[in-house]
Amino acid sequence: QFHGIIPPMVTPLKDWDTLDNQGIEKLINHILNGGVHGLFVLGTTGEAPSLSHQLRKEVIKRTLDQVGTKVPVLVGITDTSFIETINIAEFAAEAGASAVVLAPPYYFPAGQFELIETLKEIKKAVQSLSKEVLEIKTLLFKLHDVKEKAEIEEKMYPWHFPRSEERRIGKE
């Protein structure tokens, strides 16, 4: 369904919690005029977690109001809170987003099993919205891709495995 270039968009701000309305309008026009095939807001540029939930909703609404049906709009829904992830997904769906994008929750102090279970629960809750859920695959190590659970955890949380780091240093 999605193809071509779908760039992540930065969020222009006037101050810590005020959207630059002229800036976002100009930015969206500039990106669309470049011939993209979609737009990705609140995603992988990294600022979404630092925005208030109200500001995230404002970004979603303004973007979808301006873009309409010209191109698909993907909305990042990742949050440290399960409930806020679902809330932003519901808001995006009601506003007309084409899909929501989910990365693993950041600052999640759990192992791979708990992380995967959390993602499954979020995906289950969001799928009732009739929106496609896209997972950022590069951040989610799948169990069948790696031989042992310990290897997965080591890749997800290398700072928890000082002996592994020592082994790597010793092999160089």
Side-chain angles (χ1 to χ4, degrees):
Q1 177 185 1
F2 301 104
H3 70 280
I5 300 169
I6 304 176
M9 189 179 89
V10 297
T11 305
L13 300 174
K14 284 189 172 185
D15 61 41
W16 290 105
D17 199 39
T18 306
L19 185 63
D20 180 346
N21 294 322
Q22 288 180 331
I24 195 168
E25 182 179 339
K26 287 179 183 178
L27 180 59
I28 291 169
N29 283 334
H30 177 73
I31 294 170
L32 292 178
N33 289 335
V36 299
H37 301 95
L39 200 56
F40 181 12
V41 297
L42 302 175
T44 56
T45 57
E47 84 265 1
S50 66
L51 302 177
S52 69
H53 294 118
Q54 186 56 43
L55 186 55
R56 292 183 205 188
K57 290 177 179 179
E58 189 178 344
V59 169
I60 294 166
K61 181 165 179 11
R62 286 199 157 275
T63 301
L64 289 164
D65 285 351
Q66 183 176 345
V67 173
T69 59
K70 294 174 192 166
V71 296
V73 175
L74 287 65
V75 176
I77 61 169
T78 304
D79 197 279
T80 54
S81 164
F82 178 87
I83 296 302
E84 290 304 332
T85 297
I86 303 308
N87 288 342
I88 203 76
E90 289 173 347
F91 184 86
E94 290 168 11
S98 304
V100 293
V101 181
L102 175 63
Y106 46 93
Y107 300 117
F108 195 78
Q112 185 68 16
F113 174 78
E114 292 84 6
L115 182 61
I116 289 172
E117 288 302 308
T118 298
L119 291 174
K120 284 180 184 176
E121 289 301 313
I122 291 170
K123 194 170 182 176
K124 189 186 328 175
V126 172
Q127 283 179 331
S128 67
L129 302 173
S130 300
K131 292 294 168 189
E132 186 164 347
V133 180
L134 307 176
E135 296 171 0
I136 299 179
K137 303 280 189 221
T138 57
L139 299 178
L140 177 60
F141 294 95
K142 295 195 175 201
L143 289 172
H144 69 284
D145 292 339
V146 183
K147 293 178 185 175
E148 296 179 20
K149 183 179 183 294
E151 290 178 18
I152 296 170
E153 289 183 352
E154 185 174 345
K155 287 181 181 178
M156 292 296 289
Y157 308 104
W159 55 90
H160 288 184
F161 296 89
R163 290 181 300 167
S164 298
E165 186 62 32
E166 291 169 8
R167 283 187 304 225
R168 274 189 232 112
I169 292 170
K171 289 182 180 182
E172 291 179 357

